[in-house]
Amino acid sequence: MSKFKDLAFPTDGEYSSDDGPDPIEFYLTVFPSSKEVFLKLGYFSSSAIQVLAYGFAPFIARGGKMSIVTNHFLYDRDIELLTVQDGEPRYEAESLRFKDPEWVHAQLSERGQHFLDCLKTLLIAGRLKIVPVKLRPSRMVHYKEGVFIDSDDSKISFTGSCNFTSNGLIENGESLSISRSWLSPSEDAKSVKKLKTILGICAKEDYRYEYLDAAEVLNAALKLGKERTVEDLLEQERTLKLPQSKNLASIFKEYKLGLDKAISSYKISPRFPYASGPRDYQIDAYKSWEANDFCGIFAMATGTGKTITSLNCLLELFQRTASYQAVVLVPTKALIEQWRLEVASFNFRNIISAYSGNSNWRDEVSFLITSLSFDASTSFVLITTYDTITESLLKSVSQLPKSTLLIADEAHNFGRDSIKTKIGDFPFEKRLALSATPKRRFDEEGNTFIEQYFRDAEPYTYAFSMERAIGEGVLCPYEYYPHVVELTPDEMSVYAELSSKLSKIYDHASGVFLNPDFAKILLLERRRVIHKAENKLYKFGEIVTELERYGKLSHAFVYVPEGDDKDGENLLRSYMNIYSLRAPNRRAHHYTSATENRDEVMLQFENENFDTLFSMKCLDEGVDVPRAEVAIFCSSTGNPRQFIQRRGRVLRQHPEKSKAIIHDLIVIPDRSGVHATDHKLEQKLISEELVRVVYFASLARNYYQAMEELTPVAERYDINLYTLQSELGEQ
């Protein structure tokens, strides 16, 4: 699509049906090339909408938004059309009333129907505003003016003598004057002034007007219009009959050629995958990234659309340069496919997936490098894993254009030693890191490296917290139910022995272990005791029984404790057996690294052929399962990244989901089984375990209930959960 500066206009900015160019030529040229349209009109009749049907679909395909301020009076024919009831016209001056939408629908021409289909598309996408008004006191408005804005924010304002009717636009002798913002400061001032006036009316801040109810008009448009895709609308507009006007034949012929080009361009051009366009916060994220010289970290809660937000940044770059070039790093092969689908949804093409499962990737990358040597603007998106960045791929990556955008998904992986040694070969100037938890645990060196490479630091270029996401409806609300699990006497004996050994190498004064390597081994052994706690299985069974009793066991995730290969398989089997015994009529499936056809398993879960998925770690990073609404955490993870991501998995929005439910198994050892001298260390370790409880409870709908459930347990070790929460908030 052309931008305004590329279009031809009369030198004096004047249109006239007497000596040309004709006013309709202005609309047919400018409307399809606009990003935003603001109209301030007098009459807005049914015959006029048939004229506006031309150019409407290309405007929508361009992502256009429209605001219309219009008089509430219509011609007699339109009053009858829109207000007929029992064969008698019943027009009420206070508002436009569609008394019989079915009858109105029968009177529409194909052009009128196309207009309403387009109108409905804008309404559903939230890109249309209609403001019916009358001048105080009860006077008609006769304005015929407006402002068009393109993707460069260039403005064209117009003032015309013609009413916005088919006669006014086509048949009568009418004139129209325009001002172009890029020609001079005075022309720009005219456009800015008109825009300011219309915006004031749209915001209902102009006291000179009485504002009428637009709800019935909008509701009728929704009912009369048919829901269609943008591509359908473009093809529908192609088939519309043109007005039979010899004087305007050449103008409409030119419009038709432009429409054909628009259809061809739409089919191959990148675009935002949803008709509503990017959300406000995704636009803000891009602007912040742009202001940081196209570098930065997006610290966005799991489920808030980090992938879409980053690809919108790539789309913005495309709209600047007419090409797109990106390298995407992800932690797992499963995420490559998910990213590929998201990239394709933007209509980005030439997607290369570089990983061990794709035997052709080396040839595809080699061909890309050759293509770039002939045309440096060749578009591409290369998706690969952090582990695939080997010498052969590095050699090719180093030859990519410096303007290529590097997107590092789950960017905490970027701080790994194996990655840090390779980054020197990355030529990329545009850099974007994505993570719900950018900080690496116990790795300040890695954290510093990530922040330096992406030229960012807390509070980061853009941050979108889970609290905000839930508050704004991006994620669904949830209820959190912690369940205390006791160790058996035998388990407690092993646990106490390990705690005693840890205490002997713990420096209470400095709060660190004197032998950190040995401490790590002991801590892992202690973690295994908690992971494999026998009573977890019994508590899990009770939860399953309760959920099944109330019909809440569908769309569920179960995170089972991790273990070594054989150990892990046995634990998984034990939990699935308990599930089968307690809910024999439910269907469950495992979703682990050993699961074959995981995509098919996930599809079956989405289609409700499986009620519950059992996993260990495979659902931790990036897997998008919006239908899940129940999560049972049996793994007692103390890793903040894991439990934050796991919570995000179940909070994604879905049309059939009003809230999520999280059940969490908390293993708290009996203090009486721990030696008194080990208390201080044990208090520290238990506090770390309870961090998850505080995180989960803090945003839950049943906050006080969840906190009160664990308060007596925390008090065993002289821990105040509310104090712990306060300390977390200060970090």
Side-chain angles (χ1 to χ4, degrees):
M1 292 279 187
S2 301
K3 296 178 181 178
F4 290 167
K5 293 178 183 178
D6 302 324
L7 303 176
F9 298 99
T11 305
D12 61 0
E14 297 293 329
Y15 290 81
S16 173
S17 51
D18 291 335
D19 52 9
D22 200 277
I24 191 62
E25 183 175 347
F26 168 75
Y27 293 107
L28 290 176
T29 302
V30 176
F31 191 23
S33 299
S34 299
K35 177 183 72 174
E36 290 187 85
V37 172
F38 298 87
L39 299 176
K40 184 182 176 187
L41 308 172
Y43 299 114
F44 189 62
S45 70
S46 58
S47 56
I49 68 176
Q50 296 188 42
V51 177
L52 272 182
Y54 304 110
F56 208 157
F59 170 72
I60 291 173
R62 201 176 172 83
K65 298 179 181 180
M66 178 182 283
S67 299
I68 302 173
V69 177
T70 183
N71 190 66
H72 65 299
F73 291 101
L74 302 174
Y75 281 128
D76 290 342
R77 178 179 177 278
D78 295 303
I79 294 170
E80 180 180 351
L81 177 67
L82 299 180
T83 65
V84 70
Q85 184 175 6
D86 300 327
E88 295 295 327
R90 297 181 60 185
Y91 174 61
E92 298 182 24
E94 287 75 17
S95 64
L96 305 178
R97 296 187 181 275
F98 288 73
K99 294 294 184 184
D100 188 350
E102 287 76 14
W103 184 88
V104 175
H105 190 277
Q107 315 307 311
L108 289 172
S109 67
E110 64 171 6
R111 287 174 292 179
Q113 184 61 59
H114 176 64
F115 175 84
L116 285 172
D117 293 348
C118 289
L119 209 65
K120 180 170 184 172
T121 299
L122 282 184
L123 277 170
I124 292 174
R127 289 155 47 192
L128 174 69
K129 188 167 191 176
I130 294 179
V131 185
V133 298
K134 60 182 177 182
L135 275 170
R136 298 179 187 276
S138 299
R139 291 180 292 159
M140 296 168 63
V141 295
H142 291 280
Y143 299 108
K144 306 97 184 175
E145 59 189 41
V147 181
F148 296 84
I149 304 175
D150 71 2
S151 58
D152 278 345
D153 288 327
S154 295
K155 300 177 184 64
I156 301 178
S157 60
F158 74 90
T159 302
S161 66
C162 54
N163 283 315
F164 222 73
T165 63
S166 59
N167 284 338
L169 290 171
I170 296 178
E171 303 298 339
N172 296 343
E174 305 288 358
S175 62
L176 186 108
S177 299
I178 66 171
S179 297
R180 289 155 283 179
S181 64
W182 63 92
L183 292 185
S184 69
S186 62
E187 296 263 298
D188 183 48
K190 290 179 182 177
S191 296
V192 170
K193 183 179 180 180
K194 276 190 172 60
L195 180 60
K196 184 178 180 180
T197 299
I198 296 174
L199 288 174
I201 300 172
C202 288
K204 300 184 179 181
E205 295 173 350
D206 194 323
Y207 69 91
R208 295 172 298 174
Y209 294 90
E210 181 179 343
Y211 299 97
L212 308 171
D213 185 13
E216 292 189 46
V217 180
L218 299 178
N219 290 338
L222 284 171
K223 187 169 184 178
L224 295 172
K226 296 179 181 178
E227 194 165 348
R228 302 186 186 278
T229 66
V230 175
E231 197 159 348
D232 288 341
L233 290 175
L234 286 166
E235 291 295 341
Q236 181 172 274
E237 188 164 322
R238 190 207 291 266
T239 64
L240 294 182
K241 294 179 181 179
L242 299 176
Q244 299 302 307
S245 171
K246 294 181 179 179
N247 296 335
L248 303 178
S250 62
I251 295 173
F252 277 99
K253 182 179 180 181
E254 192 68 27
Y255 147 77
K256 204 73 169 179
L257 291 173
L259 177 60
D260 289 340
K261 290 179 181 178
I263 293 172
S264 299
S265 175
Y266 182 81
K267 289 180 178 179
I268 64 172
S269 294
R271 53 185 177 270
F272 200 81
Y274 308 117
S276 55
R279 299 189 183 209
D280 289 343
Y281 72 84
Q282 292 169 327
I283 295 171
D284 292 342
Y286 168 74
K287 290 179 179 177
S288 297
W289 181 65
E290 179 185 29
N292 199 44
D293 198 23
F294 301 102
C295 282
I297 297 172
F298 287 177
M300 301 175 65
T302 300
T304 54
K306 295 186 293 293
T307 303
I308 296 291
T309 304
S310 65
L311 290 176
N312 184 59
C313 290
L314 182 60
L315 182 63
E316 290 281 356
L317 294 177
F318 164 76
Q319 291 171 347
R320 286 167 167 256
T321 63
S323 71
Y324 51 89
Q325 300 173 327
V327 171
V328 181
L329 292 177
V330 300
T332 64
K333 293 178 184 178
L335 280 179
I336 285 184
E337 178 60 16
Q338 188 163 308
W339 266 89
R340 190 190 68 78
L341 293 174
E342 294 283 20
V343 170
S345 74
F346 275 77
N347 212 27
F348 291 127
R349 304 182 179 212
N350 195 18
I351 306 169
I352 301 172
S353 301
Y355 66 105
S356 58
N358 177 15
S359 59
N360 299 321
W361 73 261
R362 289 178 177 81
D363 292 337
E364 293 173 358
V365 172
S366 177
F367 182 77
L368 171 63
I369 299 301
T370 302
S371 300
L372 287 165
S373 68
F374 289 101
D375 182 3
S377 65
T378 299
S379 293
F380 67 90
V381 178
L382 171 63
I383 312 171
T384 188
T385 67
Y386 290 97
D387 291 335
T388 309
I389 300 294
T390 57
E391 292 304 318
S392 59
L393 183 56
L394 271 176
K395 184 177 179 181
S396 298
V397 166
S398 65
Q399 300 176 62
L400 296 176
K402 291 183 178 180
S403 58
T404 299
L405 167 61
L406 172 67
I407 301 175
D409 191 21
E410 304 295 351
H412 42 271
N413 291 280
F414 205 84
R416 287 158 35 182
D417 290 339
S418 59
I419 295 296
K420 289 188 290 187
T421 58
K422 302 171 182 177
I423 299 306
D425 293 312
F426 280 18
F428 314 122
E429 296 173 346
K430 296 182 176 66
R431 307 168 184 177
L432 179 55
L434 311 174
S435 183
T437 52
K439 292 287 188 181
R440 291 176 61 81
R441 199 180 188 202
F442 308 131
D443 185 8
E444 285 308 311
E445 182 181 340
N447 291 330
T448 300
F449 175 78
I450 293 172
E451 292 181 351
Q452 288 179 344
Y453 185 81
F454 290 97
R455 301 174 198 159
D456 203 359
E458 288 185 284
Y460 302 120
T461 296
Y462 191 75
F464 197 95
S465 69
M466 185 161 286
E467 180 178 11
R468 178 184 167 192
I470 294 173
E472 295 183 10
V474 177
L475 296 178
C476 73
Y478 69 96
E479 294 174 358
Y480 174 60
Y481 298 98
H483 302 269
V484 177
V485 176
E486 302 282 355
L487 294 174
T488 65
D490 288 344
E491 290 168 344
M492 190 64 221
S493 177
V494 176
Y495 182 94
E497 182 181 349
L498 291 169
S499 295
S500 180
K501 290 179 180 179
L502 283 165
S503 182
K504 290 174 183 177
I505 59 172
Y506 181 67
D507 186 347
H508 293 272
S510 62
V512 297
F513 289 105
L514 300 175
N515 187 338
D517 290 337
F518 185 47
K520 185 175 182 180
I521 294 172
L522 293 174
L523 286 168
L524 285 174
E525 287 295 324
R526 211 183 76 136
R527 175 61 60 185
R528 288 192 186 98
V529 174
I530 293 175
H531 271 328
K532 297 167 67 174
E534 185 178 334
N535 286 331
K536 279 187 179 182
L537 281 166
Y538 297 112
K539 182 60 69 174
F540 171 69
E542 291 175 1
I543 294 170
V544 170
T545 299
E546 180 186 1
L547 289 172
E548 177 69 338
R549 181 183 299 122
Y550 293 102
K552 298 291 187 181
L553 199 53
S554 58
H555 317 113
F557 282 167
V558 177
Y559 284 93
V560 302
E562 300 164 31
D564 298 331
D565 289 345
K566 189 173 182 180
D567 225 13
E569 289 178 17
N570 290 336
L571 281 169
L572 179 65
R573 191 177 299 112
S574 296
Y575 278 88
M576 293 190 72
N577 286 340
I578 291 290
Y579 179 90
S580 297
L581 289 171
R582 297 298 185 101
N585 296 321
R586 295 287 186 174
R587 297 190 63 192
H589 205 286
H590 53 82
Y591 188 86
T592 69
S593 57
T595 302
E596 296 181 0
N597 303 320
R598 282 192 292 178
D599 290 343
E600 178 63 24
V601 170
M602 188 60 72
L603 181 62
Q604 293 293 327
F605 178 75
E606 285 284 308
N607 292 335
E608 302 184 24
N609 293 322
F610 294 135
D611 296 295
T612 303
L613 292 184
F614 284 75
S615 184
M616 284 183 260
K617 293 182 66 175
C618 284
L619 293 170
D620 281 358
E621 291 188 325
V623 179
D624 189 9
V625 197
R627 190 64 190 94
E629 59 186 61
V630 176
I632 307 175
F633 299 135
C634 307
S635 54
S636 299
T637 175
N639 185 333
R641 179 173 301 114
Q642 279 189 322
F643 64 69
I644 289 171
Q645 289 176 332
R646 289 177 180 183
R647 176 176 61 175
R649 293 279 85 79
V650 77
L651 299 190
R652 295 175 187 268
Q653 289 281 15
H654 188 277
E656 297 179 33
K657 181 167 72 175
S658 60
K659 68 177 180 180
I661 297 173
I662 298 173
H663 289 273
D664 190 9
L665 274 56
I666 316 294
V667 176
I668 303 293
D670 186 350
R671 180 177 175 179
S672 63
V674 179
H675 196 277
T677 57
D678 304 333
H679 174 68
K680 190 173 181 65
L681 171 61
E682 197 65 21
Q683 183 185 52
K684 176 178 182 295
L685 297 176
I686 295 298
S687 291
E688 292 177 358
E689 178 74 11
L690 292 177
V691 163
R692 179 174 81 255
V693 175
V694 173
Y695 263 118
F696 281 3
S698 63
L699 299 179
R701 291 168 63 173
N702 60 330
Y703 166 73
Y704 291 107
Q705 178 187 357
M707 293 290 274
E708 288 172 5
E709 182 73 24
L710 265 295
T711 296
V713 179
E715 288 176 349
R716 290 185 197 171
Y717 288 91
D718 302 321
I719 298 170
N720 187 308
L721 290 180
Y722 297 95
T723 301
L724 185 59
Q725 180 181 359
S726 178
E727 291 171 353
L728 288 171
E730 294 169 359
Q731 293 181 3

